[in-house]
Amino acid sequence: MADAPPPSPPNPPPLIDNLADEYAIQEAVLTLLRFSQDVRYNASLHPKPPLPPRKRKRPSPSSVTIRDTAPPPLKRPREEQPQPVVNPYILRLRNDGHTQIGFLTGIVDYQESRFLFPFEDPTCFEEFIRVWLDVDVRRDELMKEIKRLKGKYISIALGMGNKEIAAFDAFNRKMFNLAHKIWGSPSPRKVPFGSTSGNV
């Protein structure tokens, strides 16, 4: 007796019971695909608006100092001081040697005529300015120039020896001799070098 064939294995249970269920699953998958495509399409047509710019935080009034808010001070233009007007005769007396010699000669001539130097008496000094010099100048201005000439003479007399003074040219020797007649030989113990102090 021939052997009977082995029994076939049992069929696996169907995953889907019927075709209706299979169609329902396929429809659900298609619906999901279409939805995802619609979402991507709408996102490309309507992108998200950009975020608004962030506002910078303003400092609080308490943190602002006066240095940050106060304007720089305005610099006032420097006012030029008017130059004092110097008498023309005083300018010549300062810068012109011939005017200096004429002035010293006038002092010596006045002393030989009045036996008094003009700067030793206010009345004589006024007469010396108006009559002998015949110039329009204030007494204080002229007295200042007399002291300057005296200081110049003292500086030369104390700072140079007799040989150096003897080597002067005729012009400077004449000026030195006139000043010597007026102020004499200065003493280093009484008048310091280059000083204009003391009696004129």
Side-chain angles (χ1 to χ4, degrees):
M1 184 176 178
D3 295 333
S8 57
N11 294 327
L15 297 176
I16 301 173
D17 294 340
N18 51 41
L19 292 177
D21 293 338
E22 183 178 357
Y23 291 149
I25 293 174
Q26 291 180 357
E27 187 66 24
V29 171
L30 292 175
T31 301
L32 288 175
L33 290 175
R34 285 196 298 271
F35 178 76
S36 61
Q37 291 177 355
D38 292 341
V39 170
R40 288 196 296 270
Y41 179 74
N42 292 332
S44 63
L45 291 180
H46 305 284
K48 292 182 178 180
L51 296 176
R54 297 180 62 184
K55 294 184 179 179
R56 297 181 62 181
K57 186 178 180 181
R58 295 183 179 180
S60 60
S62 59
S63 64
V64 179
T65 60
I66 298 177
R67 182 180 300 175
D68 296 332
T69 57
L74 297 178
K75 294 184 179 180
R76 295 183 178 180
R78 183 177 298 177
E79 297 180 358
E80 296 183 358
Q81 297 294 333
Q83 296 295 332
V85 179
V86 183
N87 188 283
Y89 180 76
I90 297 297
L91 286 177
R92 294 198 308 270
L93 194 58
R94 291 177 182 175
N95 304 314
D96 183 52
H98 295 283
T99 304
Q100 294 175 5
I101 286 181
F103 177 69
L104 295 177
T105 302
I107 294 177
V108 173
D109 292 344
Y110 189 92
Q111 192 275 336
E112 292 177 352
S113 174
R114 298 287 195 270
F115 303 101
L116 184 72
F117 287 111
F119 46 76
E120 293 179 343
D121 182 80
T123 304
C124 295
F125 196 40
E126 190 70 29
E127 180 191 14
F128 175 71
I129 294 174
R130 306 303 175 194
V131 179
W132 289 67
L133 296 180
D134 191 18
V135 293
D136 184 14
V137 63
R138 298 200 315 266
R139 285 188 299 176
D140 59 335
E141 289 181 318
L142 194 59
M143 185 64 71
K144 184 177 180 181
E145 293 305 311
I146 292 175
K147 291 182 178 181
R148 186 185 63 83
L149 289 173
K150 179 183 178 182
K152 181 179 178 181
Y153 161 71
I154 291 174
S155 298
I156 295 174
L158 295 180
M160 294 185 178
N162 293 330
K163 292 183 179 181
E164 295 174 322
I165 295 175
F168 284 168
D169 56 19
F171 184 85
N172 288 317
R173 190 182 301 114
K174 182 178 181 179
M175 184 180 298
F176 183 85
N177 291 334
L178 288 171
H180 185 268
K181 288 182 179 181
I182 299 172
W183 294 295
S185 298
S187 173
R189 291 177 298 178
K190 294 182 180 179
V191 182
F193 180 83
S195 175
T196 59
S197 60
N199 296 327
V200 177

